[in-house]
Structures are given as C-alpha cells and as structure tokens.
C-alpha cells in the first residue's frame, strides 16, 4: 500500500467511524453544528465568512446556522471591531459544554467497538491520533498565518 492509499484509508475510516457514532447516539443535531462548534473552539473568534470557508458551507448557510445556534445560546455574534459591516462569532460556555457532552456520547457509543483491541493496537491508535493532531495543528497555524497576511 502506498502512503497516499494509507491516507485515503484513514480518511474513509474516520468518516465511517463518525457516521457509526452518530447513528448509534441517535443524536438529531446536524453534524454542521458540531463541526462549527469544534472550529470555533479550535480557532477562536471568526468572521462568518471564514467560519463558512473552514466548515465548507456557503456563507448564507453559515449565517442561518449561526442564527439558530445563537438562538440556543451556543454561540455569540458581535460586530467586528475592525469592520462594522462584518459579524464575528464565538462559542459560548454553553456551546462548549454541549460540544463536550456530544464528544462524550460519541466516545461511549464507539467504545464497545474497540473492546477487543490488543495493547499494541491501542499504542498504534494513540500514535496515529498524536500524529494527526500534530499535523492538523501545523495546518491550522499555517492557515491562520495565511489569513492574517491576506487581511493586511
């Protein structure tokens, strides 16, 4: 198997794992809401347009989603201090709590699927998770730098 195939397999498996967890938790909340809360948790305050880009949805779609989430107290919207025409969004403590609860539900739903792993398989998963986190952190940092340069 090539490195590209390894990456493809990892991506497909991660998507499948997420779908299994979502089905098993029977959570009715749209995946876009959890993705949005996670993006805000990881990136801090963002303009609606940037949030839409990172979430890979349209700006009108993100505006609608953010409005619904704000109505439930999960996010707060304010005017961008640098440009009064723009809206910025941040996750609220209630939003962080809801996200953490959902992550615990996902973990609980998936845990039984991993009961039969051997210690070396747990080590492999731990290493994989660590590598992915490191690579994603590096990608986020580079993206933030590119965004900051573009707004100058």
């Amino acid at each position: 198997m090539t490195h590209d195939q390894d990456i493809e397999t990892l991506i497909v498996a991660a998507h499948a794992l997420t779908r299994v967890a979502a089905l098993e938790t029977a959570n009715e909340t749209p995946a876009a809401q959890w993705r949005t809360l996670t993006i805000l948790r990881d990136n801090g305050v963002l303009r609606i347009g940037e949030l839409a880009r990172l979430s890979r949805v349209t700006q009108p779609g993100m505006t609608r989603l953010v409005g619904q989430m704000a109505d439930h107290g999960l996010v707060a919207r304010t005017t961008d201090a640098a440009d009064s025409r723009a809206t910025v969004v941040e996750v609220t403590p209630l939003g962080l709590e809801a996200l953490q609860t959902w992550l615990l539900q996902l973990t609980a739903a998936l845990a039984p699927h991993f009961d039969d792993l051997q210690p070396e398989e747990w080590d492999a998963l731990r290493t994989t998770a660590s590598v992915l986190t490191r690579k994603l952190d590096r990608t986020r940092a580079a993206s933030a730098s590119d965004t900051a340069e573009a707004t100058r």
Side-chain angles (χ1 to χ4, degrees), residues 14-96:
H15 284 291
L17 193 61
T18 302
R19 284 191 304 275
V20 167
L23 289 171
E24 290 192 13
T25 62
N27 189 301
E28 298 288 323
T29 304
Q33 176 177 302
W34 302 125
R35 185 173 55 249
T36 300
L37 289 172
T38 302
I39 290 167
L40 289 169
R41 180 200 64 194
D42 294 348
N43 294 279
V45 179
L46 293 170
R47 285 182 171 202
I48 293 250
E50 181 64 5
L51 186 55
R53 185 185 73 77
L54 291 172
S55 193
R56 296 183 44 125
V57 299
T58 65
Q59 188 162 339
M62 183 55 69
T63 299
R64 196 170 28 261
L65 178 61
V66 164
Q68 293 166 353
M69 293 170 63
D71 290 345
H72 289 98
L74 302 173
V75 298
R77 295 175 291 191
T78 56
T79 302
D80 188 339
D83 181 354
S84 62
R85 299 168 297 168
T87 299
V88 293
V89 183
E90 68 179 309
V91 65
T92 63
L94 182 61
L96 289 173

Side-chain angles (χ1 to χ4, degrees), residues 10 114 117 119-132:
L10 184 63
F114 293 86
L117 292 186
E120 60 275 6
E121 291 172 310
W122 280 111
D123 290 343
L125 282 179
R126 192 173 297 109
T127 299
T128 301
S130 176
V131 167
L132 289 175

Side-chain angles (χ1 to χ4, degrees), residues 1-15 132:
M1 196 178 264
T2 67
H3 290 186
D4 286 349
Q5 290 169 323
D6 290 336
I7 292 169
E8 177 185 323
T9 300
L10 184 63
I11 292 166
V12 171
H15 284 291
L132 289 175

